[in-house]
Amino acid sequence: QVQLVESGGGVVRPGGSLRLSCAASGFKFTDYSINWVRRAPGQGLEWISTISRDGLRPYYPESLEGRFIISRDNAKSTVYLQMNNLTAEDTAVYYCTAGPAETRPRTRGTQVTVVS
């Protein structure tokens, strides 16, 4: 059974940083690319990043490239999202998913709130 658990969210001031984690279990982790998506208040899902199965190829939308960094530790079955220079527009619930980028999340996610 695929299990993904996000953590690391919190309240941060504009310009601050957070590191999110996504711990996976119940499936062969290295068989899947892993994605981060988010849902801001009143908005739809937004794709944030994808990392390849081997961890060598990260992908981001142009709007976030340079501020967010995705990585994975296959030995720990964990994916990370380092988020820097956060703004109020980054306030959202962040989810991780396994497989294609369009996979919809089925987890609780972790709340990130950026407020001055």
Side-chain angles (χ1 to χ4, degrees), residues 4 19-24 27-37 47-61 68-75 77-82 95-103:
L4 298 167
R19 188 196 196 202
L20 307 184
S21 298
C22 169
F27 64 103
K28 189 175 180 185
F29 187 65
T30 52
D31 279 356
Y32 292 83
S33 58
I34 302 294
N35 318 288
W36 284 98
V37 297
W47 170 68
I48 296 302
S49 186
T50 296
I51 190 160
S52 60
R53 292 176 292 174
D54 59 9
L56 297 179
R57 287 164 289 155
Y59 303 94
Y60 311 93
F68 287 16
I69 301 170
I70 191 171
S71 61
R72 70 190 287 165
D73 184 338
N74 284 342
S77 296
T78 301
V79 171
Y80 305 98
L81 185 69
Q82 177 68 40
Y95 306 89
C96 59
T97 63
E102 60 268 23
T103 302

Side-chain angles (χ1 to χ4, degrees), residues 9-10 20 37-41 43-44 46 48 83 87-95 109-114:
L20 307 184
V37 297
R38 69 184 180 186
R39 180 181 280 120
Q43 307 276 335
E46 178 187 8
I48 296 302
M83 306 187 298
T87 73
E89 287 67 40
D90 296 315
T91 293
V93 179
Y94 287 70
Y95 306 89
T110 187
Q111 175 71 48
V112 171
T113 303
V114 185

